[in-house]
Every structure is written in structure tokens, then in C-alpha cells.
């Protein structure tokens, strides 16, 4: 038997962002013993400036639901979209009660921001700091309820027999193995956009949850749909990937080409479009010769009131300001960057996956958004479905035992590759260069525009990267796991993208540019059989 520490808990939550923290708080409130593990420390991505809910007096959950479905081009699982629309307002009241001071108008109504694709201002917010404020509150409340946080510990494999999940095998920051055994496991470890060369996300979000779930035998869905954030800074390098929120384009901001022309004036929709459409419009302007020196376009928000930018949108204003760029005075160069992911672990309306004992919440799950996410719904998702997952996990844990013998047998089978690892490793320049090349190859094959030739080339390059790993060219264990997970997730994305012979939502295929409802108003399900990736097509439900 391999040597490792063993931790037993009712509910194991992998990930300490907002989905994980909401789940932890709700499960602990019901009396479950909860353990949360995460690679780093509990945090929320800066783009969680707020979250969608029908807060406008003229809005309604029904209209919100219709726009979620329309945005997803009807590939959404309708039950998930319905819960998001109808339970989001409850989350505004819940978080307000817990202490988030949402912005309000003098008459007491909520002061909402209007994200792209929405008919009404729906983003309930606190100075665009809603994510950070909520993390602090939920973490404090969860700890007070006895939730245990195990930080700087990376889940590497789920303990699965391909029918049930019993916890996970993890590595701490010194590469020591720790086995967590649980009655119920929740994946809440976020998305994958840092697989790309330019991304809005922190370094660690490279798709670990998708890789672990797929290897464990969980069904995955909508893996072809990656959303790109339209306006991310491309110069100076110190601000690379920092986003400037597109809500400001609905309030008087402009996008200008290298001649100072507002090129979106030529588009009949103007800025009243989905993020995917705006991203493509920017790329097309750059390709047609209107790009700036550093490969972007100019975003100009100088006409907006100073406080609306500097205070209400401080998390987007402050980073450039620290670099000597005041976006209330001068435009900034921006281009699209990889952002949220529509696909992931297939869940039902209670966040349950196809494996008994495994739930998923937040961006690691798939099916809510269909082919395109409505602006502002990423924030709503982590609150609504984080709470659902926590409550459902308590129900599962109340009737399911920890299967110690089976869990340890699975852990032993997985642990061999992690035995006798060095506690610290210096990552070489060659290893970093290989990692950067992998990400660049993926960006080329899984960009805003895709074609069969480019994607097949990317698949060939993934094979070359796998050979480099097999040849031992990357020795650092954490970096090697990064590469293995990225390659696996990218392969699932590529195969699903090749299968879908149309353009829909955020997927734009240059060789199949038209929407094809007759043949492709369906979901592509990805699963593993005999260590190979299998695809099947299902009608959307």
C-alpha cells in the first residue's frame, strides 16, 4: 500500500471560489461536515463584478429565462436555465442579508448594470467588487460553521470506479499525497481559459476539473463552446489580458480603429449584441487593417462620468491607473481574450453528474448556457448553483456512507505515479518554453474562428506534446500535470468542434459558417470508453 495521509469528511468540495464557498456554506448550515480544498487560497475572479437577476421593475424571471435560452441558441438544458432565471433574485436577497451592500438608486431600487445581450440592467453589484466582497463574507461564515479549508492542495484524480466517486487523491505544495474520502464530492474548480496565450483568468484555471471528471467517467457536454471576452488590454505587457468591462459600451464607450473611427457604427446592432458577436467584429476589424500597433483596437470610455469608471468600475480602472494609464482620459488598446467556457460536466437540475456521489457547480459544469453565455450570468451561476449543490450534497451525504475499502483500493491504484516525488523542483527555461508552445498551439486551433484544417493540425501537435511528456522533457510534476490536463481537455474540445458542422453561438467555423438548426440543434456528449474519447449526439432537453 502506498503511503499517504487520509482525511475523511461528509462533503468534499474541490475549489474555493464562489461556487465552492456557496456550496460549503449551505451544506454546513444544514449540518454536514465539509472540507474545501484548493490549489491556492479562496478567491473570486475579478470579472465577478456582480451578477444577473431580474432587479429592474419592468423585468421578470420569465423574460430573463427567455434571453438566457435565446443567447444559448436553444442548446441550453432548459431546466437549468429556468432555475438560474427564477432563483437569481433569491440570491440578491440572500447575499444582501449576509452583508453585501448592493448599489441602489435614491428610490431604493437596485442600481443595475446592463451587460451585453440583456434587455434590462440586471447586474446587481457593489462597486464592481461583488465577487471579492462575497468571498470574504462566505468564507468567514463557512469557517464559523466549522468548514475546514485545506489550501495549497491540488486535486489530481477523483477516486472513481466509473460508476461512483468516493473522494479524491491530491498533492500538497510539497508534493505529498493526501487522500480525501467523502460521502459526496463537489467539483467547483472553475474554468479553463488560461489554456490560451491570452486569457482573462488567473494562471491556475487550466481545466483541471474537466480533466478529472472525464478521466473518472463523467459525461461531459458542450465542449466546443469557449466564450471570448471582447475587450482585454494588449498593451502594455504588464496589463496583458486585463479586461475592460463591456457594460461601459452601453453607457457611452466606443471602439475605435487605428484611424480613430468608431467602426461599430457600420454594424446595425451597434453594441447591442452578444459578446461572441462583438469579439468577432473586433477580430474582423483587425484583420481588415484597422488594428492598432499591438494587435488590438482602441476602447475609449473618456466620455463617461469619471466616477462611473473610476469608482463603480474600479477593478477595471485601477490596474491601468497603477501603470500610468488613466482610462478616463485616454483610450486603451484591447482585443478579445479567452474567457468563460460553456461546456463541462453534464449536470441535472440538482447539480448531480452521471456518477453517483459527484456533483458539479459553477463553470466546471455544463448545460446552463448552451452555445453562448448571456452577459452577467457567470456571476449568477456560481451563486444559484453553488447553493443548489451544497444543499443537494447534504441530502446525498445523509444517505451515503464513506466506502473506505473501495476508496483506498482506487487510491492505491492511482498513487504509484506520485510516489517519491521531489518536494521542490526548479522549472527550467526549456520546460516553460514547451508549456508556452502548448498554449500557443491550442490558441491557434481553438480560437474565435476555427476550421477543420486548423483543428486537425492542432490535434497533431497535441500528439507531439504528449510525446515530449513521455520522453521526460518536463520533469516538474505540477507542470507535467498541467500539460496532461490541458492536452486532454483540448482534445475533447477539438473533437466536439470538428463534429459540429455549423457555426452556433461562440463557435464560428469558417468552413461551416451557417447556423444549421435542422441537423445541429442538438448537444454533443463526450465520454471515455476503453481510455478513448467517444462522442454522441442528443436532442437538447
Amino acid at each position: 500500500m502506498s503511503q499517504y495521509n487520509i482525511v475523511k469528511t461528509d462533503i468534499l468540495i474541490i475549489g474555493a471560489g464562489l461556487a465552492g464557498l456557496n456550496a460549503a456554506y449551505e451544506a454546513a448550515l444544514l449540518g454536514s461536515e465539509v472540507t474545501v480544498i484548493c490549489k491556492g487560497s479562496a478567491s473570486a475572479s475579478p470579472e465577478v463584478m456582480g451578477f444577473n437577476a431580474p432587479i429592474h421593475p419592468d423585468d421578470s424571471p420569465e423574460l430573463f429565462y427567455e434571453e438566457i435560452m435565446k443567447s444559448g441558441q436553444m442548446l441550453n438544458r432548459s431546466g437549468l436555465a429556468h432555475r438560474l432565471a427564477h432563483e437569481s433574485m433569491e440570491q440578491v436577497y440572500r447575499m444582501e442579508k449576509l452583508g453585501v451592500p448592493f448599489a441602489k438608486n435614491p428610490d431604493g431600487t437596485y442600481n443595475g448594470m446592463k451587460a451585453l445581450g440583456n434587455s434590462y440592467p440586471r447586474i446587481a453589484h457593489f462597486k464592481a467588487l461583488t465577487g471579492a466582497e462575497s468571498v470574504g463574507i462566505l468564507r468567514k461564515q463557512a469557517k464559523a460553521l466549522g468548514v475546514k479549508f485545506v489550501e495549497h492542495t491540488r486535486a489530481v484524480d477523483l477516486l472513481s470506479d466509473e460508476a461512483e466517486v468516493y473522494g479524491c487523491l491530491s498533492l500538497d505544495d510539497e508534493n505529498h499525497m493526501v487522500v480525501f474520502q467523502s460521502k459526496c464530492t463537489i467539483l467547483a474548480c472553475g474554468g479553463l481559459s488560461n489554456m490560451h496565450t491570452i486569457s482573462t483568468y488567473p494562471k491556475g484555471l487550466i481545466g483541471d476539473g474537466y480533466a478529472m471528471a472525464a478521466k473518472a467517467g463523467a459525461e461531459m457536454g458542450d465542449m466546443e463552446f469557449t466564450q471570448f471576452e471582447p475587450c482585454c488590454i494588449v498593451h502594455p505587457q504588464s496589463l496583458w489580458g486585463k479586461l475592460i468591462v463591456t457594460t461601459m459600451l452601453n453607457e457611452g464607450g466606443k471602439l475605435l480603429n487605428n484611424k480613430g473611427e468608431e467602426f461599430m457604427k457600420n454594424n446595425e446592432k451597434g453594441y447591442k449584441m452578444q459578446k461572441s458577436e462583438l469579439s468577432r467584429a473586433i477580430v474582423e476589424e483587425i484583420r481588415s487593417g484597422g488594428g492598432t500597433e499591438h494587435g488590438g483596437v482602441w476602447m475609449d470610455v473618456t466620455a463617461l462620468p469619471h466616477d462611473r469608471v473610476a469608482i463603480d468600475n474600479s477593478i477595471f480602472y485601477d490596474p491601468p491607473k497603477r501603470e500610468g494609464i488613466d482610462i478616463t482620459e485616454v483610450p486603451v488598446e484591447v482585443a478579445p481574450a479567452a474567457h468563460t467556457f460553456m461546456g463541462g460536466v453534464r449536470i441535472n437540475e440538482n447539480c448531480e453528474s452521471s456518477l453517483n456521489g459527484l456533483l458539479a457547480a459553477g463553470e466546471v459544469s455544463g448545460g446552463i448556457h448552451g452555445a453562448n453565455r448571456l452577459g452577467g450570468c457567470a456571476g449568477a451561476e456560481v451563486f444559484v448553483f453553488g447553493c443548489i449543490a451544497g444543499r443537494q450534497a447534504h441530502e446525498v451525504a445523509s444517505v451515503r456512507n464513506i466506502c473506505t475499502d473501495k476508496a483506498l483500493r482506487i487510491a492505491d491504484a492511482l498513487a504509484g505515479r506520485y510516489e517519491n516525488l521531489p518536494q521542490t523542483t526548479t522549472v527550467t527555461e526549456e520546460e516553460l518554453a514547451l508549456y508556452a508552445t502548448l498554449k500557443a498551439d491550442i490558441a491557434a486551433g481553438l480560437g474565435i474562428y476555427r476550421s477543420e484544417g486548423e483543428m486537425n493540425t492542432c490535434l497533431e501537435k497535441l500528439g507531439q506534446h504528449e510525446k515530449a511528456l513521455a520522453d521526460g522533457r518536463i520533469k516538474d510534476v505540477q507542470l507535467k500535470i498541467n500539460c496532461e490536463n490541458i492536452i486532454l481537455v483540448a482534445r475533447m474540445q477539438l473533437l466536439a468542434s470538428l463534429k459540429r458542422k455549423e457555426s452556433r453561438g461562440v463557435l464560428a467555423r469558417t468552413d461551416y459558417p451557417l447556423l444549421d438548426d435542422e441537423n445541429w440543434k442538438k448537444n454533443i456528449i463526450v465520454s471515455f470508453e476503453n481510455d478513448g474519447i467517444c462522442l454522441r449526439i442528443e436532442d437538447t432537453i
Side-chain angles (χ1 to χ4, degrees):
M1 179 181 287
S2 300
Q3 296 298 311
Y4 39 69
N5 293 325
I6 300 171
V7 177
K8 295 183 179 182
T9 185
D10 288 346
I11 296 170
L12 171 67
I13 300 175
I14 301 172
L18 281 168
L21 290 173
N22 276 292
Y25 173 72
E26 289 298 317
L29 201 62
L30 292 170
S32 284
E33 178 188 43
V34 181
T35 301
V36 178
I37 68 170
C38 55
K39 277 177 162 180
S41 55
S43 63
S45 297
E47 66 271 8
V48 185
M49 56 183 289
F51 60 91
N52 269 1
I55 57 175
H56 191 277
D58 296 329
D59 201 0
S60 70
E62 290 76 19
L63 178 60
F64 185 18
Y65 166 73
E66 289 173 8
E67 293 186 358
I68 293 170
M69 295 295 293
K70 180 181 177 182
S71 177
Q73 296 198 316
M74 308 309 288
L75 287 198
N76 326 57
R77 301 191 82 171
S78 59
L80 296 174
H82 190 273
R83 290 204 79 165
L84 182 67
H86 284 77
E87 297 181 28
S88 56
M89 199 67 218
E90 172 191 320
Q91 292 302 318
V92 177
Y93 300 141
R94 170 179 170 266
M95 292 310 300
E96 194 166 42
K97 187 175 180 181
L98 286 173
V100 176
F102 290 109
K104 293 189 177 179
N105 298 312
D107 64 359
T109 58
Y110 291 98
N111 178 275
M113 292 182 177
K114 186 178 179 182
L116 294 181
N118 289 269
S119 294
Y120 290 99
R122 289 194 174 113
I123 298 179
H125 65 96
F126 163 60
K127 297 181 181 179
L129 297 171
T130 312
E133 185 76 4
S134 298
V135 162
I137 289 170
L138 289 167
R139 184 180 171 94
K140 182 179 178 180
Q141 294 285 345
K143 285 183 118 177
L145 291 169
V147 173
K148 299 179 181 66
F149 287 87
V150 183
E151 300 182 332
H152 306 289
T153 297
R154 178 180 192 168
V156 291
D157 285 295
L158 294 174
L159 304 181
S160 169
D161 61 7
E162 298 185 353
E164 301 195 51
V165 170
Y166 309 98
C168 81
L169 175 66
S170 68
L171 295 176
D172 68 15
D173 56 3
E174 292 184 340
N175 290 335
H176 297 137
M177 286 184 286
V178 183
V179 169
F180 292 88
Q181 297 178 40
S182 63
K183 298 176 182 178
C184 188
T185 300
I186 302 175
L187 278 177
C189 43
L192 54 66
S193 75
N194 212 271
M195 291 171 55
H196 290 252
T197 49
I198 181 168
S199 159
T200 63
Y201 278 11
K203 288 182 186 178
L205 289 177
I206 56 166
D208 288 337
Y210 308 115
M212 285 190 291
K215 288 187 294 181
E219 288 188 345
M220 315 293 288
D222 299 334
M223 298 297 288
E224 62 269 42
F225 299 118
T226 304
Q227 187 178 64
F228 287 76
E229 182 68 32
C231 301
C232 296
I233 299 174
V234 294
H235 181 75
Q237 187 67 33
S238 58
L239 294 171
W240 180 262
K242 295 290 185 183
L243 69 87
I244 305 295
V245 70
T246 51
T247 55
M248 288 193 275
L249 294 174
N250 283 320
E251 299 178 15
K254 300 176 182 178
L255 292 176
L256 312 174
N257 62 19
N258 55 17
K259 296 178 182 178
E261 301 165 338
E262 189 179 4
F263 59 90
M264 291 301 295
K265 278 188 174 181
N266 300 324
N267 191 303
E268 63 179 21
K269 289 186 178 180
Y271 300 113
K272 298 183 185 300
M273 57 174 59
Q274 300 286 346
K275 286 185 177 184
S276 57
E277 297 172 302
L278 184 58
S279 292
R280 290 196 283 270
I282 292 170
V283 168
E284 287 163 9
E285 181 66 23
I286 294 168
R287 288 182 173 182
S288 68
T292 59
E293 179 184 354
H294 302 98
V297 296
W298 295 107
M299 186 171 185
D300 185 351
V301 297
T302 58
L304 273 67
H306 179 275
D307 287 357
R308 187 60 167 168
V309 178
I311 296 177
D312 292 344
N313 290 286
S314 59
I315 57 173
F316 311 109
Y317 171 82
D318 290 345
K321 179 67 173 176
R322 286 194 290 268
E323 298 295 322
I325 300 171
D326 189 334
I327 63 173
T328 65
E329 297 178 358
V330 296
V332 63
E333 289 178 85
V334 299
H339 187 49
T340 55
F341 188 55
M342 308 305 102
V345 182
R346 293 256 293 176
I347 59 170
N348 64 16
E349 293 167 33
N350 291 320
C351 294
E352 294 170 307
S353 75
S354 59
L355 301 178
N356 189 25
L358 179 67
L359 278 60
E363 196 174 342
V364 75
S365 65
I368 300 167
H369 307 295
N372 181 54
R373 180 182 62 81
L374 182 67
C377 283
E381 173 185 6
V382 293
F383 286 94
V384 171
F385 288 97
C387 287
I388 291 169
R391 295 165 190 159
Q392 184 63 21
H394 172 77
E395 294 299 317
V396 172
S398 67
V399 297
R400 191 167 182 255
N401 294 320
I402 294 177
C403 191
T404 299
D405 290 344
K406 185 170 281 191
L408 293 181
R409 284 199 301 273
I410 297 169
D412 281 344
L414 293 168
R417 62 181 303 205
Y418 305 113
E419 290 182 308
N420 303 315
L421 294 174
Q423 291 186 9
T424 57
T425 305
T426 301
V427 181
T428 67
E429 291 297 323
E430 181 190 6
E431 289 174 321
L432 290 175
L434 287 168
Y435 189 51
T437 301
L438 171 61
K439 293 171 75 169
D441 289 339
I442 286 169
L446 287 168
I448 289 176
Y449 287 103
R450 301 175 189 177
S451 70
E452 182 174 349
E454 290 167 335
M455 289 189 283
N456 279 327
T457 297
C458 189
L459 282 170
E460 291 173 8
K461 289 184 176 181
L462 291 184
Q464 295 168 12
H465 287 290
E466 284 180 319
K467 186 176 185 303
L469 291 178
D471 290 344
R473 294 183 63 189
I474 292 183
K475 294 180 174 59
D476 179 79
V477 64
Q478 297 287 342
L479 193 62
K480 185 178 180 182
I481 294 169
N482 284 2
C483 292
E484 290 171 344
N485 287 350
I486 286 173
I487 290 169
L488 171 56
V489 174
R491 183 167 274 117
M492 289 191 285
Q493 292 179 275
L494 287 161
L495 292 175
S497 298
L498 284 164
K499 186 78 170 175
R500 182 173 292 280
K501 292 178 171 53
E502 66 160 353
S503 290
R504 182 180 294 269
V506 295
L507 176 66
R509 287 198 56 168
T510 55
D511 44 359
Y512 294 96
L514 301 179
L515 184 73
D516 182 1
D517 271 344
E518 183 178 350
N519 296 301
W520 287 105
K521 194 176 176 182
K522 302 173 186 294
N523 297 109
I524 297 173
I525 314 304
V526 182
S527 59
F528 269 64
E529 295 178 22
N530 300 319
D531 295 325
I533 296 174
C534 298
L535 305 179
R536 74 174 190 274
I537 300 169
E538 285 189 0
D539 291 332
T540 302
I541 58 173

